[in-house]
Amino acid sequence: MDRHKRTATILSILCMGLGQLYNRQYIKGLLMLLVEVFGITYFIRNLGNAIWGIVTLGEVPRLLVKGKWIDGDHSIFIMIQSLITLLFLAVFLVIYIMNVRDAYNIGKLRDTGKKPNNFGQSVRYVLDYKFAVAFLSIPATGILFFTVMPILFMVLLAFTNYSAPKHIPPAMLVDWVGFGTFKDLIALKTWSHTFYGVLTWTIIWAVLSTVTTYFGGMLVALLINQKGIRFKGLWRTILILPYAIPQLISLLVMRNMFNGQFGPINQYLGYFGLGGLPWLTDPFWAKVTVIIVNMWVGIPVSMLLILGVLTTIPKDLYEAAEVDGATGFQKFKIVTMPMIMFTTAPTLIAQFAGNINNFNAIFLLTGGDPVKGDYQYAGATDLLVTWLYKLTLNQNKYNMASAIGIIIFVIIASFSIYNYRRTKSFKEEDMIQ
């Protein structure tokens, strides 16, 4: 009873396309057979080197022969080439499994006495019913090689000693060191002092910048939405200008305004006897400055979001609250605030995660400065992401930067998933489903 299904499955396992040929789907079988031939040819040439490369990262160092340097193995190129080959292997295995499943399903269909589709009918079936899957496979392949592969490459670097001045190919080989980089970052005093200091400031920055922009935007939105406020469209337009102007321009202008003892901001404050503040040169005031400037840039975003939410709140709720004798503050507490939080809680979590990686605000405004003498390649206002940037492009400490990148991902992913699952909107979505 299961003769066709069993035979087609066994044949497709032995060689891609044989099951389809057995099921009399000749064009499909030949195409899959060609995929098998090309795949086997490619892996015969490259798979052995890929496994050797990912294990050893090269064995022949740069040598001086008769007064001339002869380059040896380039560990980073070997790692990238090995990753590409292994990803091709993963794609090939997925196609192989799909080939077996297809042969199994068609064989099962034949066992019931039904005739399998010919090539034209199979193409029409894909276009009519599986078009989305077939079309999405193209960008998915691109994502695999241009997004997933760089991420894997970055993760692997964290477990190597790829760092200046000693281990930069092709002059020297790169070796696997396991969790040594993470151990140095967390436990070695020269690195751990900087890491914990930058991590603490990153968390403080993310909390303060999220809270100030969110509740500042909420306050502005509520004020604009009040009855009796005229020219609401004009107010919205004026307040959205800081967001409409590119951040590059806004932050560089702010940097010049706060810069120096005789900068424009200090000159204005001097008229009131408050001038001379070290906005960008003192560690404390530099942190205050980036928080203030971030409020200027970020409040309009929250304002727009909350204005949209306020328009969706039914007026009947306010009327019912007024009938019960609720004051303005009570209406805000009972009606407005719960509705805003219900709608914007996922966005608030996303804003917090984004602020942890808010590279522009810090890099364009302070560059991570002022310098702290007891920090390793980091300044007083550096976030983990800007420190990572300096370690990579300025100091060539690629392994340390990769370890920091992994830690950033773990922090953001853990916080976002945990808090998002606790939001009321997520719980009610689960109940609806």
Side-chain angles (χ1 to χ4, degrees):
M1 190 67 181
D2 296 334
R3 178 172 60 89
H4 294 304
K5 179 178 67 176
R6 185 171 57 254
T7 304
T9 302
I10 293 172
L11 289 174
S12 63
I13 292 173
L14 293 176
C15 181
M16 188 183 298
L18 288 184
Q20 284 72 25
L21 292 174
Y22 172 79
N23 287 326
R24 300 174 184 176
Q25 294 183 310
Y26 301 112
I27 298 178
K28 184 195 291 186
L30 289 174
L31 289 175
M32 289 189 173
L33 195 58
L34 286 175
V35 172
E36 169 106 2
V37 171
F38 284 119
I40 294 299
T41 303
Y42 174 80
F43 292 126
I44 288 174
R45 293 178 179 176
N46 298 283
L47 186 57
N49 288 332
I51 296 173
W52 166 83
I54 206 69
V55 171
T56 65
L57 298 181
E59 296 176 343
V60 181
R62 192 180 188 188
L63 300 174
L64 182 63
V65 179
K66 296 181 180 179
K68 292 184 179 181
W69 285 103
I70 299 177
D71 289 338
D73 296 329
H74 196 297
S75 299
I76 301 305
F77 289 170
I78 289 174
M79 182 187 292
I80 295 173
Q81 291 165 358
S82 299
L83 275 177
I84 293 173
T85 301
L86 293 175
L87 286 178
F88 270 123
L89 178 62
V91 173
F92 181 79
L93 291 175
V94 170
I95 296 174
Y96 210 106
I97 293 171
M98 292 173 62
N99 146 77
V100 175
R101 290 183 61 185
D102 178 75
Y104 172 86
N105 291 330
I106 300 301
K108 185 177 179 180
L109 190 69
R110 291 184 65 192
D111 286 329
T112 61
K114 295 180 181 179
K115 185 179 179 181
N117 291 337
N118 57 36
F119 186 71
Q121 291 171 328
S122 298
V123 171
R124 283 195 297 272
Y125 174 80
V126 170
L127 293 177
D128 291 340
Y129 301 102
K130 299 293 182 180
F131 175 76
V133 176
F135 187 79
L136 287 173
S137 63
I138 299 173
T141 304
I143 290 171
L144 180 65
F145 285 96
F146 296 107
T147 301
V148 175
M149 193 195 75
I151 292 174
L152 292 175
F153 175 69
M154 186 272 292
V155 171
L156 291 177
L157 285 184
F159 298 93
T160 69
N161 58 359
Y162 184 28
S163 176
K166 294 183 178 180
H167 298 281
I168 297 295
M172 297 291 289
L173 293 175
V174 173
D175 299 313
W176 295 110
V177 296
F179 288 93
T181 303
F182 293 91
K183 183 179 178 181
D184 291 344
L185 185 62
I186 295 173
L188 191 64
K189 188 173 181 180
T190 53
W191 285 102
S192 62
H193 175 67
T194 308
F195 171 71
Y196 290 122
V198 174
L199 176 62
T200 301
W201 162 238
T202 300
I203 301 300
I204 293 172
W205 152 263
V207 172
L208 290 179
S209 57
T210 303
V211 170
T212 53
T213 55
Y214 182 79
F215 288 101
M218 182 185 298
L219 176 62
V220 173
L222 290 171
L223 291 175
I224 293 176
N225 209 50
Q226 288 294 310
K227 292 181 180 179
I229 297 295
R230 302 178 63 186
F231 309 113
K232 292 186 178 183
L234 177 63
W235 286 112
R236 283 193 292 265
T237 303
I238 293 173
L239 292 169
I240 201 62
L241 283 177
Y243 177 67
I245 297 173
Q247 274 195 18
L248 175 67
I249 298 173
S250 297
L251 294 174
L252 290 179
V253 168
M254 287 291 183
R255 181 172 186 168
N256 288 319
M257 291 182 69
F258 281 98
N259 194 25
Q261 184 176 357
F262 302 103
I265 297 295
N266 275 331
Q267 289 184 21
Y268 294 142
L269 292 177
Y271 298 140
F272 304 97
L274 300 173
L277 290 175
W279 295 107
L280 299 178
T281 55
D282 179 77
F284 172 77
W285 284 106
K287 293 175 180 179
V288 172
T289 303
V290 294
I291 294 293
I292 293 173
V293 174
N294 186 71
M295 289 175 63
W296 168 259
V297 175
I299 282 178
V301 182
S302 298
M303 180 196 73
L304 279 180
L305 175 66
I306 294 170
L307 278 174
V309 176
L310 292 176
T311 60
T312 64
I313 300 177
K315 294 182 179 180
D316 296 347
L317 297 177
Y318 292 110
E319 293 174 356
E322 288 177 358
V323 171
D324 292 338
T327 63
F329 177 76
Q330 288 174 329
K331 285 189 288 185
F332 169 76
K333 181 181 178 181
I334 298 170
V335 179
T336 308
M337 190 64 181
M339 292 294 290
I340 292 175
M341 290 303 298
F342 175 80
T343 306
T344 62
T347 306
L348 184 61
I349 295 169
Q351 285 182 348
F352 179 85
N355 281 322
I356 290 179
N357 279 332
N358 196 337
F359 180 86
N360 289 347
I362 301 297
F363 188 78
L364 295 176
L365 189 60
T366 67
D369 294 335
V371 175
K372 289 201 69 172
D374 56 347
Y375 273 12
Q376 284 283 86
Y377 315 113
T381 59
D382 265 319
L383 306 179
L384 287 175
V385 66
T386 56
W387 186 33
L388 182 156
Y389 174 86
K390 291 179 179 179
L391 288 173
T392 303
L393 295 187
N394 298 341
Q395 306 300 328
N396 297 330
K397 303 289 184 181
Y398 300 104
N399 59 338
M400 198 64 69
S402 298
I404 294 170
I406 294 172
I407 292 172
I408 293 173
F409 169 77
V410 171
I411 293 172
I412 293 177
S414 302
F415 173 85
S416 301
I417 294 172
Y418 175 77
N419 285 280
Y420 180 68
R421 291 180 64 86
R422 289 171 60 86
T423 59
K424 189 176 179 181
S425 53
F426 176 81
K427 292 177 180 178
E428 292 196 5
E429 181 184 11
D430 279 351
M431 291 173 64
I432 294 173
Q433 291 177 351

